[in-house]
Amino acid sequence: MQSNPQTSETPPQSHRRYGWFKVILLIMLIGLLSFAIYFVNLTKNIGEQLADGTYDLSTFAVDGQSHIEGSESAVISVADTHVVNFANDPAIGPLNAPITIVAFEDFQCPYCEAAFPAVKALLNKHGDKVRFIYRDFPISALHPDAQLAAEAGACANEQGQFWPYHDRLYQNQDHLSVDDLKRYATELNLEVDLFNDCLDTGKYSSEVQEDLQDGIDAGVTGTPTFFINGNVVSGVINEQGFDQIVEYFGN
């Protein structure tokens, strides 16, 4: 009896399709790994150069504009609406500070966690010279808990407790489940029922996404990204690097 040609050909076709799937998956993984290595080297380079004074701060424009090499259109100004649309975002420091830093961050991003101690030191040492604004940029494809953590931060901000809550999240970055987020609210003596209702209803979901879109429109491609008097720096800045920036802008 003659076998069905389709039946006899199905296994090879299936194997070929599976083989192509593995090739595509491998290419995607290699691309992701290459990007991760590039970003690690980039952030390390920026941190080291700022720390040892070899980063050319003269390329920073005091008037609030920075020209990104290779693109005439990529001029980021502190007046750029995508950057300064932060009326509802958490801010700390005097309104008339000589330095305004708008940070796009992701609570689950390891590079943001690495920058966290330096940001704390910056605000402790130079809080009279710096206005620091936090904006959300959750990269959900890599950090599945980032969106909800950002919403939780907004719920804490609603009660005037964003910065203690912000610190707690970065200090416990591996524990950002819904239960964890609610437990931190309890530990920080927030009004728990109000916080839980805010988080459960997704009250600030769209606002977090607006931050994300503003960041994308302003050219943000990764976290952390800092706009320092309009000048963009992508990657981790260490404590010495921030000291250099304050010395440059704060006098």
Side-chain angles (χ1 to χ4, degrees):
M1 182 176 69
Q2 186 177 6
S3 62
N4 188 325
Q6 291 183 342
T7 303
S8 63
E9 291 177 4
T10 298
Q13 289 176 348
S14 176
H15 284 305
R16 283 197 295 271
R17 285 196 297 269
Y18 182 66
W20 276 112
F21 174 77
K22 289 195 294 184
V23 170
I24 293 170
L25 182 61
L26 180 60
I27 292 172
M28 291 174 62
L29 289 174
I30 291 173
L32 184 61
L33 179 61
S34 299
F35 174 78
I37 293 171
Y38 165 78
F39 195 74
V40 168
N41 290 333
L42 173 66
T43 57
K44 180 180 178 182
N45 187 47
I46 289 174
E48 288 180 348
Q49 289 184 12
L50 283 168
D52 63 20
T54 60
Y55 191 89
D56 187 7
L57 281 168
S58 67
T59 62
F60 277 16
V62 181
D63 63 359
Q65 289 191 337
S66 173
H67 295 267
I68 301 174
E69 183 178 355
S71 176
E72 286 295 323
S73 63
V75 179
I76 305 301
S77 168
V78 76
D80 190 309
T81 57
H82 302 307
V83 178
V84 301
N85 183 27
F86 48 71
N88 297 319
D89 291 301
I92 188 170
L95 288 170
N96 62 347
I99 303 169
T100 297
I101 300 177
V102 181
F104 284 87
E105 298 189 34
D106 172 326
F107 279 119
Q108 204 175 5
C109 164
Y111 302 110
C112 296
E113 182 189 31
F116 165 64
V119 171
K120 290 285 289 182
L122 166 72
L123 297 176
N124 287 335
K125 292 194 297 184
H126 308 292
D128 60 328
K129 295 181 178 180
V130 176
R131 177 78 168 170
F132 191 93
I133 297 101
Y134 185 98
R135 304 204 67 188
D136 294 299
F137 197 85
I139 307 175
S140 297
L142 297 176
H143 310 134
D145 296 326
Q147 170 71 27
L148 197 61
E151 293 178 34
C155 291
N157 188 50
E158 184 179 76
Q159 298 188 39
Q161 294 296 317
F162 173 79
W163 295 105
Y165 197 85
H166 160 280
D167 293 358
R168 187 63 59 93
L169 294 188
Y170 277 131
Q171 291 162 353
N172 297 274
Q173 195 178 62
D174 293 332
H175 303 283
L176 298 177
S177 69
V178 174
D179 289 342
D180 291 326
L181 297 174
K182 292 180 177 180
R183 176 165 52 83
Y184 302 146
T186 300
E187 293 171 354
L188 293 170
N189 298 315
L190 274 66
E191 190 175 332
V192 175
D193 289 342
L194 182 62
F195 178 90
N196 290 350
D197 182 66
C198 175
L199 189 62
D200 290 340
T201 59
K203 183 175 181 178
Y204 291 103
S205 175
S206 60
E207 184 172 310
V208 169
Q209 286 298 302
E210 287 172 8
D211 271 12
L212 177 66
Q213 189 59 54
D214 277 349
I216 292 170
D217 292 342
V220 176
T221 58
T223 53
T225 294
F226 302 96
F227 290 87
I228 304 167
N229 283 6
N231 299 275
V232 61
V233 176
S234 299
V236 177
I237 303 175
N238 61 19
E239 183 176 345
Q240 293 80 9
F242 276 124
D243 288 342
Q244 293 283 332
I245 289 167
V246 171
E247 182 178 353
Y248 180 75
F249 281 112
N251 294 327

